[in-house]
Amino acid sequence: MGNQLLKGKKGIIFGALDERSIAWKTAQVAVSEGAEIVLSNAPVALRMGKINELAKECNAQVIAADATSIPDLENLFQKSMETLGGKLDFVLHSIGMSPNVRKGVSYTDTNYDNFLKTLDISALSLHKVLQTAMKLDAMNEWGSVAALSYIAAQKVFPGYNDMAEAKALLESIARSFGYRYGFAKKVRVNTISQSPTATTAGSGVSGFDAFYTYADKMSPMGNAPAEDCARFCVALFSDFTRYVTMQNLFHDGGFSSTGVSEGIVMDLQKALEVGA
């Protein structure tokens, strides 16, 4: 049992694929804190993943939705309100995919049709989720929407490819829509810039293992685990963060504020000595 931070609250969790997913762990923590949830993912992801196991554990309904499709999202929000017996208090947007990354297309040789799909799936989907929720008046006042981002939105990480642009757009949408949703319904919208995490999606990025180790050595607290990111999401869904909105919040063990760590310097010195 948790502390019942979300007792009486209802929400949608997008993107739970398997037990490594941040969305999966967020669903578990949210329910342990008293929430009722609906789980959603794209139809193809539902076939590939283990979401039905999570649904059984969380006593949650699974409703398929392509987050790039307005009709799918309208159906999802309407059915979620029917299933949960009222308006929503929180939404987790954990959605991202790049065809260029999956197909190994380099950034400078990008396929632009793929690029547009990356932006639609990984960023514009947040705008569509928010637009649909607002039009259907699906969120209670003081509700909370959180979307998962990454520091590549601000700094160059070559292996992240066109997902960097997608995350930058995602963060901009959170600010722009958060401004409007705040005035309209007191709904807050934030992004969480998480440490590199060994999820199914994250592990597909070129050079992930090496960078994971690098980030862990750079961060004073080490890389933030998926479980702790889930707890941070739940904190943003709770009433303890009612005035936090339009922010990109780094949940990365201090990586984003560290220029270089002593551990990295020592490793480089050793490498130079070996090469001398």
Side-chain angles (χ1 to χ4, degrees):
M1 292 291 292
N3 297 301
Q4 299 299 289
L5 289 178
L6 301 184
K7 185 177 181 179
K9 294 190 182 294
K10 312 170 192 300
I12 297 174
I13 305 286
F14 283 93
L17 184 65
D18 57 34
E19 59 276 0
R20 297 195 298 170
S21 306
I22 293 171
W24 183 291
K25 297 185 186 301
T26 303
Q28 291 174 320
V29 176
V31 170
S32 76
E33 292 292 347
E36 296 178 77
I37 64 170
V38 163
L39 297 166
S40 186
N41 214 329
V44 65
L46 295 183
R47 293 193 296 270
M48 292 170 55
K50 304 178 181 178
I51 198 169
N52 289 326
E53 295 177 19
L54 179 64
K56 185 176 180 180
E57 176 188 337
C58 295
N59 192 30
Q61 185 171 339
V62 178
I63 302 176
D66 177 350
T68 67
S69 165
I70 295 295
D72 276 18
L73 290 172
E74 289 175 342
N75 177 67
L76 169 64
F77 276 98
Q78 288 167 343
K79 285 190 174 179
S80 294
M81 288 189 285
E82 291 170 9
T83 298
L84 297 172
K87 295 182 184 181
L88 306 172
D89 300 290
F90 63 88
V91 173
L92 176 67
H93 179 284
S94 181
I95 302 167
M97 194 280 287
S98 165
N100 280 320
V101 170
R102 285 194 173 185
K103 296 176 182 180
V105 180
S106 72
Y107 181 81
T108 51
D109 290 327
T110 195
N111 176 292
Y112 291 109
D113 288 334
N114 288 344
F115 200 160
L116 291 174
K117 289 177 183 176
T118 299
L119 296 177
D120 194 19
I121 295 168
S122 306
L124 292 179
S125 61
L126 176 62
H127 196 287
K128 293 175 182 180
V129 164
L130 294 167
Q131 182 189 81
T132 303
M134 181 179 275
K135 284 186 175 179
L136 294 178
D137 193 22
M139 299 288 293
N140 281 317
E141 287 197 354
W142 302 102
S144 176
V145 180
L148 296 181
S149 191
Y150 186 55
I151 195 173
Q154 288 87 31
K155 299 181 180 181
V156 176
F157 293 87
Y160 211 62
N161 208 308
D162 56 1
M163 281 296 294
E165 276 80 3
K167 293 302 187 186
L169 177 56
L170 181 86
E171 293 176 12
S172 179
I173 289 169
R175 288 188 295 271
S176 297
F177 220 116
Y179 169 85
R180 292 162 173 83
Y181 221 162
F183 273 112
K185 290 287 292 186
K186 301 297 184 187
V187 172
R188 55 203 194 270
V189 185
N190 295 289
T191 53
I192 299 171
S193 192
Q194 165 66 3
S195 295
T197 310
T199 62
T200 301
S203 299
V205 175
S206 176
F208 175 83
D209 290 342
F211 182 68
Y212 181 92
T213 302
Y214 167 78
D216 198 48
K217 286 191 173 186
M218 276 280 289
S219 307
M221 309 296 287
N223 288 332
E227 294 86 349
D228 285 278
C229 186
R231 295 186 186 100
F232 191 43
C233 291
V234 167
L236 287 177
F237 299 154
S238 78
D239 290 334
F240 287 100
T241 54
R242 284 166 63 130
Y243 286 87
V244 180
T245 193
M246 300 162 61
Q247 303 300 307
N248 179 54
L249 302 162
F250 288 99
H251 186 259
D252 62 1
F255 177 86
S256 52
S257 294
T258 303
V260 69
S261 69
E262 290 180 359
I264 293 293
V265 171
M266 290 174 64
D267 285 348
L268 289 171
Q269 286 176 334
K270 289 177 183 177
L272 289 170
E273 289 169 3
V274 171

